[in-house]
Amino acid sequence: MDLLISEGYKKDVQPKIEVFRKEKHKKLLCTKKDNLVAIVSNRKFNVGVPCFPLEDMKGSPTLLRRVIKSKKKKRLP
């Protein structure tokens, strides 16, 4: 499986996982309308997408694999 993780492209159409640190920002940069699929943060959010703690080494990678697999299925003929 090929995987490209990039920074930026906040308003592009690709699925997004926002990494949010409460010490740096007051609000999220992306919304569900921006194709936000998850948040990784040291603050809890209730915006309709999964939110994982920064130190969660299982939850966010598992979600990432699930998102990639669902996107691949949609592209298959």
Side-chain angles (χ1 to χ4, degrees):
M1 161 183 335
D2 292 335
L3 173 63
L4 173 66
I5 297 177
S6 64
E7 185 176 356
Y9 303 98
K10 293 167 192 69
K11 300 301 177 188
D12 209 0
V13 298
Q14 286 78 19
K16 296 163 187 66
I17 297 174
E18 183 166 342
V19 178
F20 180 95
R21 294 180 188 273
K22 63 183 177 185
E23 298 82 15
K24 297 279 186 183
H25 302 282
K26 296 200 185 297
K27 64 179 190 171
L28 290 169
L29 296 173
C30 297
T31 67
K32 208 168 176 183
K33 291 179 186 177
D34 299 314
N35 206 5
L36 182 68
V37 295
I39 301 164
V40 178
S41 179
N42 58 346
R43 177 181 155 197
K44 291 189 179 194
F45 288 94
N46 187 13
V47 293
V49 298
C51 187
F52 299 96
L54 290 171
E55 55 280 334
D56 183 352
M57 296 300 192
K58 281 190 168 187
S60 46
T62 299
L63 173 79
L64 187 56
R65 280 192 297 276
R66 196 167 56 228
V67 168
I68 291 167
K69 284 181 182 179
S70 73
K71 297 295 177 187
K72 276 186 157 185
K73 285 180 184 177
K74 288 179 184 177
R75 286 187 275 161
L76 293 176

